[in-house]
Amino acid sequence: AQKITQTQPGMFVQEKEAVTLDCTYDTSDQSYGLFWYKQPSSGEMIFLIYQGSYDEQNATEGRYSLNFQKARKSANLVISASQLGDSAMYFCAMSPGAGTALIFGKGTTLSVSS
Amino acid sequence: NAGVTQTPKFQVLKTGQSMTLQCAQDMNHEYMSWYRQDPGMGLRLIHYSVGAGITDQGEVPNGYNVSRSTTEDFPLRLLSAAPSQTSVYFCASSWGQPRDNEQFFGPGTRLTVL
């Protein structure tokens, strides 16, 4: 079964610290895409970062990096130097195989304090 | 570009009423999809389309219909609203296969069924 698991319902971090949000996935497909989205309290879905299953290097976008461990089927999001504006819900998602849409995890709520 | 637009932003229905949630994109994207977001459940796929005239069911299609007569529009119809359909609905689109491409999300429609 295709599935995304996010085991951390909530995470707390202080400003300027780094934080890792966990994501594991399950698929039998060899080709797939992994995504992270941010959802602030205003409700919109904001794309953060993408990793293709054949990409050998971990994806990075500014303060965001994706720690991709293919053998472990994990795709953790690392946010460096957290900011107050990073407080939001974070979703890990996968588009497997034929890739017609996304499968989402249940999300992790990140709270950043000063 | 307006991106992905959804109307209405908010809607309250009575049980048994029908309505259509509108979704449009001006990016000439082939792939479009509808998700619903419920507390603690992440986003779940309702229906998707890989191009004009082609639609298929996702994980939770019951009670919803879709059609794709143009590349730009992908309306979601609730046939006979039920309280279980109270949710936030997101429309999304991507240029190519979602496995390889960022999905762009609309701002969402918050639906309450009484």
Side-chain angles (χ1 to χ4, degrees):
Chain A
Q2 323 266 23
K3 189 178 178 182
I4 291 282
T5 303
Q6 293 181 255
T7 57
Q8 306 155 314
M11 290 286 285
F12 297 87
V13 68
Q14 292 229 312
E15 243 184 325
K16 300 178 186 175
E17 290 184 349
V19 62
T20 298
L21 306 184
D22 294 340
C23 172
T24 58
Y25 60 92
D26 190 12
T27 181
S28 56
D29 293 321
Q30 297 301 308
S31 180
Y32 48 88
L34 296 160
F35 302 79
W36 278 91
Y37 282 84
K38 172 184 178 181
Q39 186 178 45
S41 57
S42 51
E44 71 268 32
M45 296 290 288
I46 301 169
F47 167 76
L48 295 178
I49 198 165
Y50 162 79
Q51 178 88 38
S53 59
Y54 291 117
D55 294 339
E56 294 190 352
Q57 292 203 328
N58 287 343
T60 60
E61 292 284 351
R63 295 185 299 112
Y64 304 107
S65 60
L66 197 153
N67 185 357
F68 180 45
Q69 298 188 43
K70 197 169 184 176
R72 292 186 174 186
K73 293 191 173 178
S74 75
N76 298 340
L77 177 71
V78 181
I79 305 175
S80 63
S82 297
Q83 302 172 355
L84 294 177
D86 294 333
S87 293
M89 176 78 83
Y90 289 81
F91 290 102
C92 180
M94 171 177 66
S95 185
T100 49
L102 293 173
I103 299 167
F104 282 85
K106 294 185 178 182
T108 296
T109 301
L110 177 65
S111 299
V112 182
S113 59
S114 57
Chain B
N1 285 354
V4 180
T5 58
Q6 291 183 237
T7 55
K9 280 188 174 297
F10 303 93
Q11 183 70 50
V12 179
L13 292 178
K14 293 181 180 178
T15 297
Q17 287 184 316
S18 62
M19 80 157 294
T20 299
L21 307 185
Q22 301 292 345
C23 174
Q25 51 88 12
D26 61 358
M27 297 173 283
N28 203 31
H29 286 176
E30 289 296 324
Y31 289 78
M32 296 187 74
S33 48
W34 276 102
Y35 299 87
R36 60 177 288 173
Q37 182 179 17
D38 302 299
M41 296 292 293
L43 279 74
R44 293 181 293 168
L45 181 67
I46 304 171
H47 285 285
Y48 64 92
S49 170
V50 300
I54 307 169
T55 63
D56 207 344
Q57 298 180 352
E59 180 186 355
V60 289
N62 291 343
Y64 308 95
N65 272 357
V66 292
S67 60
R68 184 99 180 269
S69 56
T70 67
T71 298
E72 293 78 20
D73 300 300
F74 190 43
L76 178 72
R77 296 182 189 83
L78 279 69
L79 309 173
S80 177
S84 61
Q85 293 178 304
T86 293
S87 189
V88 179
Y89 292 84
F90 287 98
C91 178
S93 73
S94 63
W95 177 78
Q97 279 195 337
R99 182 192 64 201
D100 305 318
N101 296 275
E102 173 191 350
Q103 289 223 330
F104 292 80
F105 282 82
T109 294
R110 186 174 294 273
L111 176 69
T112 302
V113 183
L114 302 175

